[in-house]
């Protein structure tokens, strides 16, 4: 089961996803990237069926590129969220895509980051912090307690690791490896590829 | 505009249309039975657990028990097989068993579970034999046409993506395909896992089928990128052997293939039951 976490900080958006891809009880791939870049300043974090996720995210990414080519202007995060929601909503009663998404983006116009929660049923909501999958059960309360407006990057990263540590500790399905990405005015950057081992007190190993 | 290019293109298209199913795939139209509601028909005859639960409410089925409906299902998806493939420094190794089962009955011990796509790409078969054989053979046709039209060999990534897109368009129709596309192209040895659910994953090793957990055990324990060719072939053979020993739906003969920059080659074809005891004998000799 996929775990995705995201929140907005001071001029950045931090997103993390686990890196497992599997089929029923088996893990097929341990380094699967679920945070796909829509363009230079937006990330779509996908969870749900692998095939639907791949195809749907490809659809959104290519259409956003097409818009940029046709109109020589980049779409804002809000527009992409609305477009994505519409695609999900029109498909739900015909050929549903079983994907749940977190869309994070940084808009140069507003100099602000934003995060949207999108559901396979076609719901969409602008949020400051949130999660998809089983992680949402554990991480929701941590973010309610500790998230503040305009967190610095260091504080934000520490909060994210706190969330991921909780996911690794309490989720019975093994998810140790997470990929953390950040979006700010410079674009998308991979912050860390962490492997968490909560049995060792407060120890998080960094990969590469 | 009738330029030479467009005339040739039209020529090629007209010969392609002679194959009655070719146009449907190339223009991305689904091939469906010529009845009023093909999707409902497909759903009613496949024995998928989730769909049987949905049919619970339909008037036609409300008096029948779930077990009866399961027996009525004409098409059942089996993944009784073990196939594996992995890439390493010198190329790709593919190892498969050759048993086909139909419920508790062994239908065949000599099934070809590896289908050649072209001279440097192989596809493995798991799930529905008919589905896999047809779609892999079709993939071979598409790759051949690609190479003729573009005057360059098709990459493994592109070939796997073509198959993925076709299977994705049929994703709720009850196909059962768990195939691995393995090959060697300009990027080196490549391996993709393609599913009838529409997933496409790239990794350095995969095992598919009912015996795959057993094969994964041996494979994960012995896999390294810098294996020698003999070690790699032996690892693949031993992993399938372990799976056939534990899984009753896998067996027959163990076939091992190798792909490198010169293309694919069939390495060996051993009886699964005999191989296990040969390994035992060898180890007893080494202990002495």
């Amino acid at each position: 089961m996929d775990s995705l976490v995201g929140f907005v900080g001071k001029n950045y958006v931090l997103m993390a996803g686990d890196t497992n891809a599997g089929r029923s009880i088996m893990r097929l791939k341990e380094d699967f990237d679920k945070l796909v870049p829509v363009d230079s300043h937006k990330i779509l974090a996908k969870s749900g069926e692998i095939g639907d996720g791949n195809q749907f995210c490809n659809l959104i990414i290519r259409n956003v590129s097409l818009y940029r080519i046709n109109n020589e202007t980049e779409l804002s995060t809000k527009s992409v969220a609305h477009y994505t929601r519409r695609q999900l909503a029109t498909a739900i009663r015909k050929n549903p895509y079983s994907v749940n998404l977190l869309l994070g983006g940084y808009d140069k116009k507003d100099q602000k980051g934003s995060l949207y929660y999108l559901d396979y049923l076609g719901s969409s909501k602008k949020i400051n912090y949130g999660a998809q999958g089983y992680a949402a059960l554990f991480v929701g309360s941590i973010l309610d307690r500790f998230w503040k407006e305009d967190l610095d990057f260091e504080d934000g990263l520490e909060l994210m690791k706190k969330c991921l540590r909780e996911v690794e500790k309490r989720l019975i399905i093994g998810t140790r490896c997470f990929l953390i990405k950040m979006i700010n005015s410079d674009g998308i950057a991979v912050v860390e590829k962490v492997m968490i081992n909560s049995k060792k007190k407060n120890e998080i190993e960094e990969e590469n | 505009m009738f330029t030479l290019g467009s005339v040739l293109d039209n020529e090629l298209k007209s010969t392609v249309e002679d194959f009655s199913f070719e146009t449907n795939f190339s223009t991305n139209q689904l091939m469906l039975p010529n009845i009023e509601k093909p999707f409902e028909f497909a759903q009613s005859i496949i024995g998928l657990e989730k769909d049987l639960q949905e049919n619970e409410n339909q008037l036609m089925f409300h008096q029948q028990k779930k077990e009866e409906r399961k027996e009525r299902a004409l098409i059942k998806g089996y993944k009784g097989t073990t196939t594996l493939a992995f890439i390493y420094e010198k190329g790709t190794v593919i190892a498969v068993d050759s048993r086909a089962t139909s419920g508790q009955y062994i239908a065949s011990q000599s099934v070809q579970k590896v289908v050649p796509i072209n001279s440097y790409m192989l596809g493995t078969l798991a799930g529905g034999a008919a589905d896999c054989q047809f779609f892999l053979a079709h993939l071979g046709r598409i790759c051949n046409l690609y190479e003729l039209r573009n005057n360059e060999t098709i990459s493994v990534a592109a070939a796997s993506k073509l198959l993925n897109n076709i299977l994705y368009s049929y994703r709720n129709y009850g196909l059962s395909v768990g195939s691995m596309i393995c090959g060697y192209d300009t990027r080196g040895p490549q391996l993709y896992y393609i599913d009838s659910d529409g997933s496409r994953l790239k990794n350095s090793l995969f095992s598919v089928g009912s015996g795959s957990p057993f094969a994964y055990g041996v494979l994960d324990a012995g896999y390294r990128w810098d294996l020698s060719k003999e070690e790699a072939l032996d690892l693949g053979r031993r992993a399938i052997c372990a799976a056939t020993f534990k899984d009753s739906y896998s067996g027959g003969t163990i076939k091992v293939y190798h792909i490198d920059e010169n293309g694919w080659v069939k390495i060996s074809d051993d009886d699964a039951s005999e191989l296990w005891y040969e390994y035992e004998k060898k180890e007893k000799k080494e202990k002495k």
Side-chain angles (χ1 to χ4, degrees):
Chain A
M1 190 60 216
D2 311 302
S3 304
L4 303 170
V5 187
F7 57 81
V8 178
K10 191 181 175 72
N11 297 328
Y12 68 89
V13 179
L14 208 54
M15 297 178 78
D18 72 311
T19 55
N20 285 334
R23 208 197 148 77
S24 76
I25 57 160
M26 266 201 312
R27 184 183 297 137
L28 289 177
K29 198 167 144 81
E30 188 135 37
D31 53 359
F32 187 60
D33 187 1
K34 294 176 186 168
L35 307 172
V36 289
V38 176
D39 60 22
S40 57
H41 286 74
K42 292 180 205 46
I43 285 181
L44 252 182
K46 54 187 175 178
S47 86
E49 278 196 38
I50 304 173
D52 283 351
N54 281 342
Q55 297 282 2
F56 182 73
C57 289
N58 261 335
L59 176 73
I60 302 300
I61 293 166
R62 305 307 168 202
N63 276 297
V64 168
S65 297
L66 182 64
Y67 185 93
R68 189 177 65 246
I69 292 167
N70 276 337
N71 302 287
E72 284 187 29
T73 173
E74 301 242 341
L75 281 167
S76 64
T77 315
K78 181 177 175 181
S79 312
V80 175
H82 279 256
Y83 177 72
T84 309
R85 189 214 82 85
R86 183 116 186 117
Q87 294 297 307
L88 286 165
T90 48
I92 183 65
R93 288 182 203 277
K94 286 184 192 169
N95 203 5
Y97 295 106
S98 10
V99 264
N100 299 313
L101 307 162
L102 280 178
L103 173 70
Y106 183 88
D107 295 310
K108 283 189 183 143
K109 237 185 184 179
D110 311 318
Q111 305 259 321
K112 251 198 300 187
S114 45
L115 186 65
Y116 286 83
Y117 174 103
L118 294 140
D119 207 286
Y120 76 102
L121 295 162
S123 49
S124 159
K125 180 91 175 74
K126 185 170 193 299
I127 51 174
N128 286 321
Y129 54 86
Q132 291 275 15
Y134 287 122
L137 298 165
F138 307 114
V139 144
S141 52
I142 297 181
L143 288 169
D144 279 336
R145 168 80 178 80
F146 292 111
W147 184 87
K148 280 189 275 289
E149 190 111 24
D150 288 340
L151 274 171
D152 287 333
F153 179 68
E154 287 78 27
D155 295 334
L157 191 58
E158 192 47 55
L159 176 60
M160 180 60 87
K161 286 187 183 170
K162 204 180 280 190
C163 295
L164 299 179
R165 222 175 284 145
E166 184 66 13
V167 173
E168 193 276 337
K169 190 172 181 191
R170 290 297 175 191
L171 196 54
I172 210 165
I173 302 163
T175 27
R176 307 164 302 173
C177 295
F178 298 89
L179 185 64
I180 307 178
K181 287 192 183 174
M182 174 191 67
I183 318 165
N184 62 6
S185 54
D186 299 326
I188 300 170
V190 175
V191 177
E192 266 177 67
K193 216 161 110 179
V194 284
M195 188 157 82
I196 298 180
N197 188 350
S198 65
K199 285 188 211 81
K200 297 183 181 175
K201 208 173 182 184
N202 290 331
E203 184 159 327
I204 294 181
E205 300 159 39
E206 282 180 26
E207 279 186 27
N208 304 338
Chain B
M1 286 299 289
F2 288 96
T3 62
L4 184 64
S6 71
V7 167
L8 279 176
D9 214 33
N10 282 330
E11 273 291 295
L12 269 172
K13 272 189 197 157
S14 59
T15 48
V16 157
E17 276 163 13
D18 289 339
F19 297 100
S20 57
F21 38 74
E22 194 68 58
T23 29
N24 287 330
F25 281 115
S26 57
T27 58
N28 238 3
Q29 284 172 346
L30 297 189
M31 235 171 56
L32 298 169
N34 196 13
I35 53 174
E36 210 182 284
K37 291 180 185 173
F39 183 67
E40 279 79 3
F41 172 70
Q43 295 284 296
S44 68
I45 60 171
I46 57 176
L48 292 180
E49 192 72 30
K50 54 177 175 139
D51 297 313
L52 288 168
Q53 278 174 359
E54 279 170 33
N55 286 334
E56 215 66 51
N57 299 326
Q58 287 183 28
L59 200 63
M60 221 171 102
F61 293 114
H62 83 279
Q63 278 167 349
Q64 290 177 355
K65 288 182 196 155
K66 210 203 283 187
E67 292 78 38
E68 283 175 43
R69 260 180 284 137
K70 253 192 193 165
E71 270 163 41
R72 277 194 36 165
L74 298 170
I75 302 170
K76 292 174 191 172
Y78 297 113
K79 287 210 170 142
T81 183
T82 315
T83 60
L84 67 84
F86 61 89
I87 57 172
Y88 71 112
E89 194 179 23
K90 298 197 176 77
T92 315
V93 170
I94 300 159
V96 299
D97 75 316
S98 66
R99 180 175 288 182
T101 50
S102 176
Q104 315 290 56
Y105 169 72
I106 296 176
S108 169
Q109 293 270 56
S110 51
V111 177
Q112 280 289 358
K113 294 189 185 176
V114 172
V115 176
I117 298 165
N118 58 30
S119 60
Y120 56 94
M121 260 200 278
L122 292 173
T124 63
L125 223 123
D131 296 334
C132 288
Q133 280 171 357
F134 176 76
F135 283 106
L136 286 174
H138 186 71
L139 182 64
R141 278 190 288 264
I142 297 177
C143 290
N144 203 0
L145 280 168
Y146 176 96
E147 292 182 8
L148 289 169
R149 288 194 178 116
N150 298 284
N151 200 23
E152 67 164 9
T153 50
I154 190 170
S155 65
V156 184
S160 59
K161 188 69 182 169
L162 283 169
L163 182 62
N164 180 43
N165 286 338
I166 293 171
L167 289 176
Y168 184 75
S169 58
Y170 285 102
R171 76 187 185 282
N172 286 324
Y173 284 81
L175 292 180
S176 176
V177 174
S179 171
M180 292 181 288
I181 309 295
C182 340
Y184 198 104
D185 59 16
T186 50
R187 295 177 195 148
Q190 304 272 303
L191 175 60
Y192 286 85
Y193 166 73
I194 308 288
D195 208 294
S196 47
D197 300 330
S199 33
R200 170 175 173 264
L201 292 171
K202 177 179 191 305
N203 205 359
S204 49
L205 62 84
F206 282 115
S207 174
V208 183
S210 57
S212 62
F214 311 115
Y216 265 126
V218 175
L219 204 51
D220 285 333
Y223 176 76
R224 282 182 342 259
W225 178 256
D226 52 357
L227 289 164
S228 72
K229 187 171 172 183
E230 291 73 40
E231 285 177 334
L233 296 170
D234 186 57
L235 178 66
R237 200 176 292 121
R238 275 187 191 264
I240 296 286
C241 191
T244 55
F245 190 67
K246 274 279 196 265
D247 181 33
S248 44
Y249 293 106
S250 307
T253 57
I254 299 175
K255 298 178 169 62
V256 180
Y257 295 74
H258 188 267
I259 316 180
D260 58 17
E261 64 267 12
N262 303 319
W264 65 262
V265 164
K266 184 172 182 184
I267 303 288
S268 69
D269 196 335
D270 304 298
D271 186 283
S273 40
E274 285 170 17
L275 193 61
W276 178 262
Y277 297 108
E278 269 175 42
Y279 282 137
E280 257 193 352
K281 242 192 269 175
K282 221 194 275 180
E283 259 141 58
K284 272 192 189 152
K285 265 191 199 167
E286 280 168 18
K287 269 187 187 168
K288 281 181 185 168

